[in-house]
């Protein structure tokens, strides 16, 4: 470390004295270009349904997407992430609705692509949890989440989403080896420019609760996801996951959840020169939003929380605040 002087010659408060001066020496900054907006989808027409577990977040029917996306575009948000609330009647043990080319996500992708062309990126989760009757991300046999059999379905899900016009395929299932199989399939069917944003580092977390409620999998979920999502007591494993996914062909990686895992983002940035996307998940969002509602925090806490990701080294942040924060 280089120490440039000593008190009283050196006074670090000097550069903090004025607003202009503080601006001048800022290491990190946040703009809408850094934010990815998750959007929850619902069937029907004219629907904007409140989500109880997530204050100020709605589920939208496809015909209501235009308002949301117009606003996102105007702000400068580069990409949206789509998450469907699937009719429970369409769920089964195999999650077969994931492969229905007329499912909610497919129709939403087509609508957005047709309306906005390539003016905004579309990212879609690849995993079966919105579609399975047991709420798990893969298929189950004898109480085990099957890895390779699940991948076969995820490859089909990825190809389908790519065919509909999805720009960024985001496997969030945590099966081993899915990135290489998805990359190979995308290339084979000439989706060479479709990107893969791997949820490489996804911890088995309690902070996903409000999201599971939003996609309707919370009450269905039997057990927990600890046999495939990572143990939050581990850090080295995150490096191994990212190393593997880079080898397999990931263009970018996600660290998830966000704020409790800033150390992991930094560690990955120190080890790999790949864009890291932080996911400020539903639980983090709801805690902050409820605290603001209760007067415990003021709105500046949102900005502070998002800057922490930039400081840790994230290139962008998936956050439910994306279209709510004033920058
Ligand atoms: C599903 C998925 C989850 C989230 C994104 N994709 C939940 C889970 O793994 O149970 C969580 C996002 C959030 O909490 O905001 N594969």
């Amino acid at each position: 470390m280089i120490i440039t002087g000593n008190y009283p010659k050196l006074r670090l408060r000097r550069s903090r004295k004025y607003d202009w001066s503080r601006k001048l020496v800022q290491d990190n900054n946040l703009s809408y270009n850094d934010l990815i907006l998750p959007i929850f989808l619902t069937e029907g027409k004219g629907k904007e349904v409140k989500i109880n577990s997530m204050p100020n977040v709605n589920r939208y029917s496809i015909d209501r997407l235009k308002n949301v996306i117009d606003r996102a575009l105007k702000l400068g948000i580069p990409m949206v992430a789509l998450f469907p609330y699937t009719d429970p009647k369409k769920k089964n043990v195999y999650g077969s609705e994931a492969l229905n080319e007329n499912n909610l996500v497919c129709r939403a992708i087509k609508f957005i692509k047709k309306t906005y062309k390539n003016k905004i990126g579309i990212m879609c989760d690849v995993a079966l949890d919105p579609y399975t009757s047991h709420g798990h991300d893969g298929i189950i046999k004898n109480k085990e989440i099957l890895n390779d059999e699940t991948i076969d379905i995820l490859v089909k899900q990825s190809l389908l989403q790519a065919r509909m016009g999805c720009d960024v395929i985001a496997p969030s299932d945590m099966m081993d080896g899915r990135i290489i199989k998805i990359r190979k399939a995308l290339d084979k069917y000439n989706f060479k420019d479709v990107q893969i944003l791997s949820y490489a580092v996804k911890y088995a977390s309690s902070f996903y609760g409000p999201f599971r409620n939003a996609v309707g999998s919370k009450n269905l979920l039997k057990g927990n996801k600890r046999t495939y999502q990572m143990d939050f007591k581990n850090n080295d494993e995150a490096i191994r996951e990212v190393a593997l996914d880079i080898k397999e062909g990931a263009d970018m990686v996600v660290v998830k959840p966000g704020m409790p895992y800033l150390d992991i983002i930094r560690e990955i940035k120190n080890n790999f020169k790949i864009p890291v996307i932080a996911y400020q998940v539903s639980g983090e969002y709801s805690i902050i939003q409820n605290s603001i509602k209760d007067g415990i925090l003021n709105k500046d806490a949102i900005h502070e929380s998002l800057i922490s990701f930039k400081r840790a080294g994230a290139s962008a942040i998936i956050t439910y605040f994306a279209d709510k924060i004033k920058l």
Side-chain angles (χ1 to χ4, degrees), residues 28-57:
N28 295 288
N29 233 314
L30 185 73
S31 89
Y32 289 107
N33 294 340
D34 301 315
L35 305 178
I36 298 166
L37 173 67
I39 300 178
F40 293 107
L41 306 165
T42 189
E43 291 288 356
K45 280 217 162 86
K47 291 234 169 95
E48 286 187 25
V49 189
K50 279 201 173 121
I51 300 170
N52 293 335
S53 57
M54 300 181 69
N56 302 339
V57 177

Side-chain angles (χ1 to χ4, degrees), residues 125 129 137 172 202 208 211-212 225 229 256 282 320:
D125 247 39
D129 59 307
D137 293 25
S172 72
K202 179 170 179 179
Y208 305 147
F211 172 97
R212 290 181 189 166
K225 300 191 177 185
Q229 298 180 349
K256 173 181 177 188
S282 56
Y320 305 94

Side-chain angles (χ1 to χ4, degrees), residues 39-294:
I39 300 178
F40 293 107
L41 306 165
T42 189
E43 291 288 356
K45 280 217 162 86
K47 291 234 169 95
E48 286 187 25
V49 189
K50 279 201 173 121
I51 300 170
N52 293 335
S53 57
M54 300 181 69
N56 302 339
V57 177
N58 298 330
R59 298 187 193 106
Y60 296 92
S61 56
I62 293 176
D63 62 325
R64 288 294 175 101
L65 285 180
K66 199 155 183 310
N67 289 345
V68 187
I69 298 179
D70 280 351
R71 219 180 98 72
L73 258 181
K74 221 169 154 190
L75 294 171
I77 294 171
M79 182 158 79
V80 293
L82 304 178
F83 297 102
Y85 176 88
T86 307
D87 180 350
K89 279 180 274 170
K90 292 184 177 163
K91 298 187 182 190
N92 60 31
V93 286
Y94 308 109
S96 47
E97 177 68 4
L99 303 184
N100 172 5
E101 65 172 65
N102 258 320
N103 72 24
L104 189 53
V105 162
C106 288
R107 278 179 281 131
I109 300 171
K110 278 201 279 193
F111 167 78
I112 298 169
K113 247 316 155 222
K114 200 171 129 207
T115 312
Y116 298 94
K117 310 286 185 291
N118 292 321
K119 275 192 260 170
I120 193 157
I122 306 171
M123 155 184 165
C124 291
D125 247 39
V126 169
L128 299 182
D129 59 307
Y131 307 107
T132 51
S133 46
H134 43 70
H136 280 287
D137 293 25
I139 51 174
I140 305 182
K141 197 173 176 186
N142 300 329
K143 295 193 175 161
E144 196 187 324
I145 313 296
L146 300 177
N147 194 85
D148 300 5
E149 293 79 353
T150 296
I151 293 180
D152 291 341
I153 304 174
L154 300 179
V155 166
K156 290 184 186 147
Q157 187 184 19
S158 306
L159 285 173
L160 176 61
Q161 290 176 352
R163 186 151 61 80
M164 295 297 130
C166 176
D167 302 293
V168 177
I169 299 287
S172 72
D173 54 287
M174 289 303 279
M175 299 302 116
D176 284 326
R178 83 279 207 222
I179 299 299
I180 190 161
K181 291 207 171 152
I182 292 172
R183 184 70 269 165
K184 277 190 175 158
L186 288 172
D187 288 355
K188 182 173 165 196
Y189 289 95
N190 219 12
F191 298 115
K192 294 193 181 72
D193 292 329
V194 170
Q195 301 181 36
I196 297 181
L197 168 53
S198 171
Y199 286 84
V201 184
K202 179 170 179 179
Y203 286 92
S205 171
S206 293
F207 287 88
Y208 305 147
F211 172 97
R212 290 181 189 166
N213 192 54
V215 299
S217 70
K218 190 173 182 125
N219 296 330
L220 299 175
L221 183 63
K222 295 200 177 70
N224 56 58
K225 300 191 177 185
R226 286 182 213 145
T227 66
Y228 47 108
Q229 298 180 349
M230 284 173 53
D231 186 340
F232 57 76
K233 299 180 188 78
N234 298 345
N235 38 339
D236 286 350
E237 202 182 348
I239 308 286
R240 301 181 80 191
E241 286 284 2
V242 172
L244 273 171
D245 283 0
I246 291 175
K247 255 199 184 151
E248 291 183 26
D251 299 289
M252 306 175 273
V253 293
V254 172
V255 173
K256 173 181 177 188
M259 281 170 72
Y261 298 87
L262 294 174
D263 57 326
I264 303 295
I265 296 175
R266 171 46 58 196
E267 235 177 292
I268 289 167
K269 276 318 274 191
N270 288 346
N271 279 281
F272 307 99
K273 300 303 151 196
I274 187 167
V276 174
I277 313 296
Y279 199 144
Q280 185 179 50
V281 300
S282 56
E284 304 173 58
Y285 169 84
S286 294
I287 290 168
I288 295 172
Q289 205 58 306
N290 282 323
S291 302
I292 291 170
K293 253 194 185 162
D294 295 344

